[in-house]
Amino acid sequence: MYISPVNTDLLFEEAQKESLYLRLIEQLNKDFNLANEGIDFPLSISPDELKIQLHEKIYRMIQYKFAEYLNLLYIIDVSEDQIKKLDGSDLVILAEQVSFLILKREWQKVWFRNKYK
């Protein structure tokens, strides 16, 4: 049964435990490219580095490429309700929370695809 992780570290732990961490990176790269936001996380990237780079990318998109940011959220299929619940007063915190929502949704896709292939 799928259980949604409560934070990024637990998500990465679960992905590594299930041997799906590389698939998570591939899914992120695929969806970012579908949104024309070329990003290429190397498969050798550590979970900590992935977390930092994703956070920085989302932060820059919110600041400078807002339409593309919204398109990315649509393509990844992040819940609009979850986004609306976030407090947007601090962009750094907002970008961190959105990064987690993105990772959570991408992990869900990878997990279900692996479970029901």
Side-chain angles (χ1 to χ4, degrees), residues 77-90:
D77 191 29
V78 175
S79 162
E80 195 176 325
D81 288 341
Q82 287 182 317
I83 295 290
K84 285 179 178 175
K85 288 178 188 171
L86 301 177
D87 176 11
S89 59
D90 184 330

